[in-house]
Amino acid sequence: MKKAKAYREPAFINSRDARPLRILAEYLEPISRFEHYGVEDTIVFFGSARFKEGNRWYEAARQLAFRLTGWSKALDSKKQRFVVCTGGGPGIMEAANRGASEAGGLNVGLAVSLPREEAANPHITRELVLRFHYFFMRKFWFAYLAKAMIVFPGGFGTLDEMFEVLTLVQTQKMTKPMPIVLFGTEYWKEVIDFDALVRHGTIDAQDVNLVHRTDSVDDAYEWIVSELTARALDKPGATL
């Protein structure tokens, strides 16, 4: 019997020995997809998967994504700039993808396989649903393409994603400007006491200013647009 070529052999491709190939695939395949659809960079929305339509934070994320997509589409650019990007699931992710879709814009969903796997939400641009096995590759694509991040209330996953980006910015491993919005001031004040970190000497006082806190869609929109216009408009493309 004729044996399949190595790259078509499931037993090998799914083996421990082929893990580097699977990791590389999760780097190369997204590059191909983004280049094909002209996606230059993104605005990433993080937040809980548990909020439903009608929740105040769901509706705020939906509205903010709608407005940012409208602004992006009006830019004089042949490529897709500042495309809304989420983790592809329900809740805040769905709300942001939905708002972008309602504004007539492309939007991205970076889904990941989980034990209780849920289908990617239906509002992501169909060709831009990317599915990852490795969390660290998914997080790489969140950071690599992003030119701004908006963090809504969320749980362990949201905190993990937020603190990874904050660490990259604080340590200057991420050299590009990265406007970060914490949406929901009372929630974040209760969940993370940044001032206590300063008092205990575990972060510098200036590190508190790495994020912009707000409860207002208008304020978040105006601050992000101002930051991107001043610091990212003339710097298209992915970079850390």
Side-chain angles (χ1 to χ4, degrees):
M1 184 178 70
K2 189 174 181 180
K3 187 173 176 61
K5 295 176 181 178
Y7 61 84
R8 293 185 181 276
E9 178 54 61
F12 169 68
I13 290 298
N14 294 313
S15 71
R16 181 180 63 181
D17 292 339
R19 183 177 292 125
L21 297 179
R22 298 196 300 274
I23 293 170
L24 186 60
E26 293 198 349
Y27 173 71
L28 293 175
E29 197 273 342
I31 288 178
S32 177
R33 198 98 62 95
F34 292 133
E35 286 182 350
H36 181 77
Y37 290 98
V39 176
E40 290 267 78
D41 36 36
T42 61
I43 298 174
V44 175
F45 282 69
F46 293 133
S48 176
R50 302 188 181 198
F51 299 134
K52 307 294 185 184
E53 180 180 2
N55 172 275
R56 58 176 173 146
W57 288 320
Y58 181 106
E59 297 303 332
R62 179 180 174 184
Q63 184 181 354
L64 185 53
F66 179 92
R67 293 180 63 180
L68 288 169
T69 300
W71 169 75
S72 171
K73 289 180 64 182
L75 296 174
D76 183 17
S77 174
K78 294 180 180 179
K79 296 223 176 171
Q80 306 288 335
R81 298 294 311 276
F82 311 122
V83 174
V84 166
C85 174
T86 79
I92 294 298
M93 296 172 281
E94 175 190 301
N97 290 126
R98 182 176 179 179
S101 178
E102 289 169 341
L106 292 181
N107 64 92
V108 176
L110 306 181
V112 66
S113 58
L114 296 170
R116 297 179 182 177
E117 189 165 4
E118 298 184 51
N121 74 69
H123 305 287
I124 308 165
T125 301
R126 184 180 62 182
E127 298 82 3
L128 293 172
V129 178
L130 289 93
R131 301 183 184 278
F132 293 85
H133 174 75
Y134 297 104
F135 260 112
F136 69 90
M137 288 307 303
R138 179 189 190 223
K139 290 199 286 186
F140 167 81
W141 280 109
F142 278 136
Y144 188 50
L145 282 182
K147 292 296 173 65
M149 293 189 172
I150 305 163
V151 189
F152 280 80
F156 290 162
T158 301
L159 294 171
D160 172 50
E161 291 155 348
M162 179 185 72
F163 276 118
E164 178 148 345
V165 174
L166 282 174
T167 300
L168 291 172
V169 174
Q170 182 201 47
T171 59
Q172 299 181 16
K173 285 294 185 180
M174 182 178 283
T175 58
K176 63 186 173 184
M178 181 54 66
I180 301 170
V181 170
L182 292 189
F183 200 99
T185 54
E186 286 304 311
Y187 177 87
W188 291 114
K189 183 178 179 181
E190 182 177 348
V191 170
I192 305 172
D193 193 338
F194 287 96
D195 294 331
L197 295 176
V198 174
R199 287 197 306 274
H200 287 284
T202 54
I203 65 172
D204 293 334
Q206 65 194 32
D207 291 334
V208 176
N209 298 322
L210 294 176
V211 297
H212 176 82
R213 299 169 180 77
T214 189
D215 291 302
S216 165
V217 170
D218 288 340
D219 178 63
Y221 171 81
E222 290 166 6
W223 188 77
I224 291 169
V225 167
S226 175
E227 288 288 305
L228 292 178
T229 300
R231 307 170 71 188
L233 203 56
D234 62 346
K235 298 181 178 69
T239 179
L240 286 179

